[in-house]
Each structure stands twice: as structure tokens, then as C-alpha cells.
Amino acid sequence: MQETAKLELNGIPYELPVVTGTENEKGVDISRLKAQTGYITLDSGYANTGSCVSSITYIDGDQGILRYRGYDIADLCEKSTFMEVCYLLIYGELPSAGDFVSFKDKVLYHSLIHEDMKSFFTAYPGHAHPMAILSAMVCSLSVYHPELLQPDQGAGEKDETMAHLLSKVRVLAAFAYKRSVGEAFVYTKPELDYISNFMHMMFTTPVKLHQTDEVIRKALDVLMILHADHEQNCSTSTVRMVGSSKANLFAAISAGICALWGPLHGGANQAVIEMLEQIAADGGNCKKFMDKAKDKNDPFRLMGFGHRVYKNYDPRAQIIKKYCDQVLHHLGIDDPILEIAKGLEELALTDPYFIERKLYPNVDFYSGILYRAMKIPTNMFTVMFALGRLPGWIAHWKEMIDEAGALKIARPRQIYTGEPLRAYTPINQRAA
Ligand code: SDX
């Protein structure tokens, strides 16, 4: 029996259909509310509003569950690879051995960017934030692939476009880093895997071939898996929003990178390290910063804490914290920042303010400590988040575009609270 929600407006009863998800999540379908009642709903920040149905990722914020296409995140981190998770998220199934080889070959094949683009990088000042460069360069890729811009692409063109982005965004990210340190750009090597190739492009120089230590390679592969998707977060919703106008995928991903940059979203991983360094410089006084975070008159927030969906420990933060201990031990690094992070977490998990608001460490709280240990500079942390999230953005774009005949441009409504109708006053009749 179809479940319905009953609504009464001005004495008139209405019945609205209820949509039930695979894990029994419930949503009231209001897609005909305005037509039926003249009313819209209002939900700033969309905390109570579902924008779509999706079969890509499932999050249970109360239980701290995260699954990609039904596979638990811990299982994928232990047994899969980032490249395989890219395929899973985009195509919905784990690849056969043959399909996986073809997929990896296609991604490797598209790793070259047009040589003209190298001059774009040198036009930026050395201090340019790599997120600014990355979003601009990703949109600029569309200039060199006019054959991939038509709005209604066939499956083949979509595969090509997606592979170009999966391959090239990693190259653009490494080139942005090389630009910032004034070193020559380094190209991919066909014999290296996706992660090793990225680290090769980042840290190889004409005088030293970088070889990625297996412990580091696995930790970075896991970090990428953990960031790969997270259902309708701010940047993924941005990619869907831009893609809904039939703008090309390069433009949609570029917009997603910009949304991710904010410190309330992916930019938090950079802000966490800057916060931890500030606490370290202040003598490691965690309690002082905890009190600041609770002071409503102080804009300071504990970066890397809290989440719109997780009201339990973010399962990704748990896995990253484990890798922090493992990698720092392996490298023989005793990073005081890690101890401060653990001290802050310990204080927060026993503080009534944080307990009442269910504020736990999120994906960004420990990730920066791993990136630091890998010698990745702080201003590249959110670029690393973008590299990880790229397959999720692509998967959501594809899911939306592939929805047979259902593509509707995203265009929310509003409740107007401005001035009522008024007559124009010529400037010489206006009060001084
Ligand atoms: C990501 O959506 C996703 O899935 C995102 C993400 C992904 O994978 O895509 O998981 C990645 O963006 C993780 C979040 C990274 N951002 C940060 O770490 C920034 C710090 N955290 C916040 O600013 C905040 O917690 C958000 C933005 C993450 C969530 O904000 P909400 O859901 O809008 O919650 P809110 O701002 O309404 O806060 C509720 C209460 C408020 O207090 P009261 O008004 O009830 O007294 O909790 C307080 C807030 O002041 N609060 C915090 C806090 N986070 C929330 N107080 C101090 N420090 C914090 N970090």
C-alpha cells in the first residue's frame, strides 16, 4: 500500500506520496505541491530536503555508515583500489578483469594535456592558490575538447569525457604544485599506477626520480577512496546543479571544485592544519581553543569537527586516524600536530557542548596530518580532496544525465520578503 503524508492547508486536505529508499529512508514527494496547493516549502541549507533519488552512495549519519554502491567503505579501503572504486562509482559494478584493464588504459591514454596549457600555469603568480588554478584549468580543458561538449552525449562520448577528467585533473593538480615551487612539469609514466603516477609528477625532478614507498602509496590510495563520494554534499550538489543546465562536464566539475574550496566544506582540511599549528604556536593550549569554539561571540569554530549528516563518528575519520599512526610510525615522524589533534578530540568527545550537538571529528580532521607526512604542502590539501571526490562528482553527473527523459534544470523557488510595489523616484526628488 502506497504510504502517503496528509497535509491540510486552508481547511483543504491533501495527500502527498511518500518515497521509501533501500534502507527504509523516507521522503515526502512534494514535486506536485505547488501545482496542487500554490504553496512551496522553505528549507534554508536544504537540511531537510532531498534533491534526487540516487543509487550511488548510502550514508547513515546516526550509525556512522558509508557505502559506495552497497559496498562498505572499510571493506573497499582494505580490499579495493581507488581506480577500481572510480569504476564502481561511475558504472555501478566492480569491473571484470578485462573491463578494468581497458578502463585503466583509457585513463592513462588521456593523461596528456595540450602543450599550450603549460603557458597558462606560468601566467599565474607563484603564490596562486592551487584550487584557483585547478578550477580554471579544468574548465579550460573544454577549449581543447570541443568534440566532447555537445549536451546530449552518447555513451561513448561520456566514457571519453569522464576518462579525460579522471586522468587530466591529476596532471593539472601536479602541474599546479610544480608551478608553485618553480620546478619543471613532470609527465606520467605508463608503467606506474594512478597514485604512484601522481606522486611521481609531484616529486620527481630532473635530478631525482621519486619512487613512492608502498606504505605511503597504500595510505594515499585509501585517502582517495575515502574522499571518492559522499552523496549530495555541497560540491556534488553543485556539479548536479550546473550539469542540470546541460553545461558540459568540464564546466560542472570546475564549479564543484570551487564549491569544495570553502572552509565549511573541503577547504576544512587546510583550515584544520592551520588551526592545529595556531594551537601549537600558542603552547598547545587545547582548552583555550575549545572555549573559543563554544563562545557564540567568537566566529572561531573547531575545524574538522561537526557534520550535517554524521551525528556519530565519521567512519572516514576513524580509518584516516589509524593510517596517521601507521604512516607516521613507518616514516619515524613524531608530529606534535598529531598529538594536539588527539588531545583536542579527547577534550571534545567529553565536552557537554560537543556531546549535545553530536559534534565528532569529520573526514577533514586527520587527513591533513597524513598529507603533511607525505610532504604535500598545506595549500594542496583541498586539491587532494578534489582528486578524491572527482569520481563521485562524475558518477552523480552521469546518474543525473542518464535518467531517461527525467533531466530537469535545477531551479529552486523562494519566498520574497523585499519591498512591495513602489513608484520610481527621480534622483533630484530623493532625500539626500
Ligand atoms: C565536509 O556534506 C558532506 O558530506 C561534506 C563532507 C563530504 O565528504 O563531502 O563530509 C566533507 O565538508 C566535512 C565538513 C568540513 N567542515 C568543517 O570541519 C568545518 C567545521 N564544521 C562546521 O562549520 C559544521 O559542523 C558543518 C559546516 C560541517 C556542518 O554545519 P551544519 O550542519 O549547518 O551545523 P550548524 O552550523 O547548524 O551547527 C549546529 C550547532 C551550532 O550551535 P548552536 O547554534 O546549536 O548553539 O553546532 C555548532 C553550531 O555553532 N557547531 C560547531 C561546530 N560545528 C557545528 N561549534 C563549534 N565548532 C564546530 N566545528
Side-chain angles (χ1 to χ4, degrees):
M1 158 94 153
Q2 165 70 45
E3 186 182 348
T4 59
K6 293 176 179 42
L7 179 67
E8 184 175 309
L9 292 168
N10 304 320
I12 303 169
Y14 298 92
E15 284 213 352
L16 300 170
V18 169
V19 176
T20 302
T22 310
E23 300 295 336
N24 214 25
E25 323 96 280
K26 301 282 185 184
V28 177
D29 182 343
I30 57 168
S31 45
R32 296 207 27 75
L33 180 71
K34 184 155 183 5
Q36 285 175 317
T37 70
Y39 282 59
I40 63 168
T41 57
L42 195 58
D43 180 23
S44 70
Y46 305 116
N48 305 281
T49 299
S51 60
C52 61
V53 293
S54 176
S55 55
I56 298 171
T57 290
Y58 173 66
I59 301 174
D60 181 325
D62 296 325
Q63 302 299 319
I65 291 172
L66 172 58
R67 297 183 198 139
Y68 297 158
R69 300 286 189 181
Y71 295 95
D72 184 77
I73 192 71
D75 228 11
L76 291 170
C77 286
E78 187 193 332
K79 300 168 186 161
S80 186
T81 64
F82 178 59
M83 268 284 99
E84 190 177 62
V85 165
C86 288
Y87 187 100
L88 172 66
L89 286 169
I90 292 168
Y91 295 105
E93 296 297 337
L94 290 170
S96 65
D99 286 346
F100 196 32
V101 168
S102 317
F103 178 69
K104 287 188 289 186
D105 288 349
K106 187 189 280 281
V107 170
L108 178 64
Y109 177 75
H110 287 309
S111 58
L112 294 182
I113 63 169
H114 196 293
E115 284 292 297
D116 285 1
M117 290 188 79
K118 287 165 59 178
S119 64
F120 297 8
F121 288 88
T122 47
Y124 285 99
H127 65 267
H129 197 291
M131 284 295 274
I133 296 177
L134 190 65
S135 61
M137 291 297 175
V138 167
C139 204
S140 301
L141 283 175
S142 61
V143 169
Y144 295 95
H145 299 283
E147 76 286 0
L148 297 177
L149 304 186
Q150 66 281 17
D152 301 312
Q153 288 183 329
E157 288 104 337
K158 271 186 227 146
D159 290 344
E160 284 299 297
T161 311
M162 298 186 292
H164 274 283
L165 279 155
L166 282 174
S167 194
K168 289 179 164 68
V169 174
R170 166 195 49 164
V171 177
L172 296 171
F175 281 16
Y177 168 70
K178 283 298 197 188
R179 166 70 191 104
S180 72
V181 293
E183 289 178 6
F185 297 144
V186 173
Y187 293 80
T188 49
K189 292 175 75 171
E191 67 273 23
L192 294 180
D193 66 77
Y194 187 93
I195 296 293
S196 305
N197 247 327
F198 173 71
M199 296 295 269
H200 162 65
M201 290 189 283
M202 285 281 287
F203 298 120
T204 285
T205 68
V207 295
K208 181 176 165 295
L209 177 66
H210 177 83
Q211 284 172 314
T212 306
D213 163 313
E214 179 48 26
V215 170
I216 300 291
R217 195 205 60 76
K218 174 63 180 171
L220 188 50
D221 196 72
V222 164
L223 273 170
M224 293 294 105
I225 291 173
L226 290 169
H227 286 82
D229 193 50
H230 216 236
E231 52 131 288
Q232 305 309 319
N233 58 85
C234 178
S235 53
T236 301
S237 297
T238 300
V239 170
R240 279 181 171 259
M241 174 78 80
V242 172
S244 77
S245 73
K246 290 195 175 183
N248 62 75
L249 183 55
F250 299 102
I253 298 297
S254 175
I257 292 168
C258 292
L260 186 73
W261 195 0
L264 292 185
H265 190 14
N269 60 13
Q270 174 172 343
V272 166
I273 291 297
E274 289 163 352
M275 172 187 74
L276 295 174
E277 285 171 340
Q278 190 188 357
I279 296 172
D282 191 79
N285 186 342
C286 291
K287 185 170 179 330
K288 174 182 165 187
F289 286 82
M290 284 284 294
D291 293 342
K292 274 173 67 67
K294 297 187 286 186
D295 177 356
K296 292 303 171 191
N297 300 316
D298 189 326
F300 176 81
R301 282 197 157 178
L302 215 55
M303 301 313 278
F305 263 80
H307 200 276
R308 175 61 60 77
V309 177
Y310 287 124
K311 299 309 170 189
N312 199 328
Y313 211 106
D314 184 332
R316 302 169 296 177
Q318 280 174 325
I319 295 171
I320 294 172
K321 184 178 174 184
K322 186 187 81 178
Y323 274 87
C324 279
D325 288 332
Q326 196 183 84
V327 167
L328 269 62
H329 174 71
H330 172 73
L331 295 174
I333 297 175
D334 177 14
D335 188 346
I337 296 287
L338 177 58
E339 293 323 306
I340 289 178
K342 288 181 175 177
L344 216 47
E345 175 188 347
E346 212 175 298
L347 270 180
L349 294 184
T350 54
D351 183 286
Y353 173 95
F354 282 77
I355 294 169
E356 279 156 34
R357 293 166 179 80
K358 297 183 179 177
L359 304 175
Y360 292 88
N362 59 49
V363 69
D364 294 309
F365 189 61
Y366 285 106
S367 55
I369 290 165
L370 266 179
Y371 293 136
R372 260 161 77 94
M374 296 172 184
K375 302 275 183 278
I376 294 169
T378 305
N379 72 354
M380 281 286 289
F381 287 3
T382 312
V383 168
M384 300 306 291
F385 195 142
L387 283 185
R389 186 52 52 87
L390 182 60
W393 288 335
I394 290 171
H396 281 275
W397 171 82
K398 183 176 184 294
E399 182 177 66
M400 177 183 71
I401 295 289
D402 282 353
E403 245 173 272
L407 181 67
K408 288 174 77 64
I409 189 167
R411 202 271 185 226
R413 306 302 297 266
Q414 64 162 30
I415 297 293
Y416 175 70
T417 54
E419 293 290 332
L421 178 64
R422 50 184 174 164
Y424 179 81
T425 315
I427 191 160
N428 59 5
Q429 293 171 29
R430 285 175 218 152

